[in-house]
Amino acid sequence: MPLLPVYADVAAAAWRLHGHAHRTPVMTSTTLNRELRCEVLFKCENLQRMGAFKFRGAFNALSRFSPAQRRAGVVAYSSGNHAQAIALAARLLDMPATIVMPADAPAVKVAATRGYGGHVVFYDRYREDREQIGRQLAERDGLTLIPPYDHADVIAGQGTAAMELIEDAGPLDAFLAPLGGGGLLSGSALALRQLAPQCRIYGVEPEAGNDGQQSLRRGAIVHIDTPRTLADGAQTQHLGQLTFSLIRKHVDDIFTATDAELVATMGLLAARLKLVVEPTGCLPLAALRRHAQHWRGQRVGVLLSGGNIDLARFCALLGADAATAPSY
Ligand SMILES: *Cc1c(COP(=O)(O)O)cnc(C)c1O
């Protein structure tokens, strides 16, 4: 297994990102604090460049390429935020990016990736293996493959959001982040263990895909089928080797949230904080609302990981929810 990243790697990533990533705001809502009986500090990565924290890991990883790697370029496989993050970071660093996407990926995502200058290569998600296609392209054309979470530079870059949260908001009793493949949670843990050693660290997964929770309990990486959930940023089938090692070492517990809770929380964030947050980004606040008694009277950091949701879909989900649950 490659070496695990450490806090110094997060600090180095913060220097590389300086002037390139946004230092996103920390927001609060007095009304929400009163309802939840704790003080919630929202780190707004939905307002990050390209709409999610993934820009941090992508830019950090690409910044470390050698001149020869830069000339050949990067390849990534993703239909979501990682694709856009790699495409944008590559454009800013003036290198070519190839993104392997399923042929049936939503047109808006393909357009967004191309809009950032990414060269899109399609594959058949039912007959072909995207990792294999990525590796073949990497070998054939000398490209460097950057995976979405199980990579030391990606993990270190993702950790810079939690680092800024502590710098800007002060010490925390608890911190909650969404959990997909674990890059965000493990990077956050590296930052928090150094900067806020007393802070308890929690991940939140979709209830339909709780492989991380199962893995933590079993002490080994559990693989599941692709879960059906609105939280498309956390539809991973398993944690990575690096991310699992760090999560096992540093994370206190993993909670889950249902799709209905994610939609209700998306409406709450729009109504109270005027923020558009995609379903995956709603995972931590949804868990905080369900288990509010756990954190009564505490200062709790909540990472709002992204805001990339098609506006028509956002309205449709909230409209359908408002019909059954009118009170945000
Ligand atoms: C990728 C992603 C996640 C999950 O991050 P991991 O590093 O895979 O755990 C959460 N929220 C959003 C918006 C994402 O794009």
Side-chain angles (χ1 to χ4, degrees):
M1 183 166 75
L3 274 184
L4 286 176
V6 297
Y7 172 72
D9 298 312
V10 181
W15 280 108
R16 291 186 199 106
L17 286 169
H18 188 79
H20 298 286
H22 294 319
R23 190 174 187 100
T24 54
V26 177
M27 292 179 59
T28 57
S29 161
T30 326
T31 314
L32 197 63
N33 288 348
R34 201 177 317 121
E35 284 167 9
L36 295 171
R37 305 219 200 160
C38 59
E39 186 184 355
V40 187
L41 299 125
F42 293 102
K43 177 65 173 167
C44 297
E45 286 295 297
N46 58 318
L47 304 177
Q48 185 51 264
R49 292 186 82 162
M50 57 61 58
F53 71 91
K54 284 214 173 65
F55 178 71
R56 295 173 181 271
F59 191 90
N60 185 50
L62 268 53
S63 300
R64 301 203 63 202
F65 278 22
S66 69
Q69 282 179 303
R70 279 182 196 234
R71 272 194 301 279
V74 59
V75 57
Y77 46 81
S78 163
S79 54
N81 289 331
H82 180 62
Q84 291 167 57
I86 290 286
L88 175 58
R91 195 183 67 185
L92 295 172
L93 292 164
D94 204 18
M95 66 175 93
T98 301
I99 311 293
V100 182
M101 282 190 158
D104 58 353
V108 285
K109 296 205 167 165
V110 177
T113 305
R114 285 187 174 142
Y116 289 125
H119 169 61
V120 177
V121 171
F122 290 111
Y123 75 101
D124 178 345
R125 77 158 95 206
Y126 303 101
R127 299 212 321 242
E128 295 177 298
D129 174 3
R130 63 179 194 171
E131 297 194 27
Q132 200 185 335
I133 292 177
R135 273 196 302 271
Q136 279 167 355
L137 283 170
E139 263 173 48
R140 196 192 67 192
D141 301 335
L143 312 180
T144 304
L145 181 70
I146 297 295
Y149 51 86
D150 210 26
H151 187 288
D153 298 332
V154 171
I155 293 169
Q158 318 303 31
T160 58
M163 180 179 179
E164 289 174 7
L165 174 61
I166 298 297
E167 286 171 354
D168 293 348
L172 298 172
D173 300 305
F175 170 87
L176 285 81
L179 173 59
L184 177 63
L185 185 61
S186 55
S188 302
L190 289 176
L192 294 166
R193 278 291 163 259
Q194 177 77 26
L195 301 172
Q198 309 303 324
C199 178
R200 295 176 74 81
I201 302 170
Y202 304 95
V204 185
E205 284 181 311
E207 192 152 289
N210 71 335
D211 61 290
Q213 194 178 50
Q214 292 183 45
S215 302
L216 199 63
R217 296 197 174 146
R218 194 169 306 173
I221 299 173
V222 171
H223 291 242
I224 59 168
D225 290 338
T226 301
R228 282 177 181 277
T229 167
L230 285 176
D232 56 347
Q235 264 180 326
T236 36
Q237 293 172 272
H238 56 85
L239 299 176
Q241 294 193 334
L242 299 174
T243 57
F244 176 64
S245 300
L246 291 169
I247 288 169
R248 203 175 171 191
K249 200 146 112 196
H250 298 301
V251 169
D252 291 285
D253 205 357
I254 294 173
F255 292 94
T256 61
T258 64
D259 279 2
E261 288 170 327
L262 294 180
V263 173
T265 300
M266 201 165 75
L268 181 81
L269 284 163
R272 290 266 194 282
L273 288 120
K274 322 302 168 196
L275 289 175
V276 175
V277 181
E278 62 185 275
T280 314
C282 295
L283 282 163
L285 181 58
L288 179 60
R289 294 173 76 205
R290 196 206 289 184
H291 306 283
Q293 74 285 356
H294 269 68
W295 295 288
R296 186 160 296 178
Q298 299 190 9
R299 296 191 91 226
V300 185
V302 164
L303 200 139
L304 301 177
S305 55
N308 289 331
I309 178 166
D310 181 73
L311 209 51
R313 183 155 169 72
F314 181 77
C315 294
L317 286 170
L318 293 190
D321 191 54
T324 51
S327 62
Y328 288 127

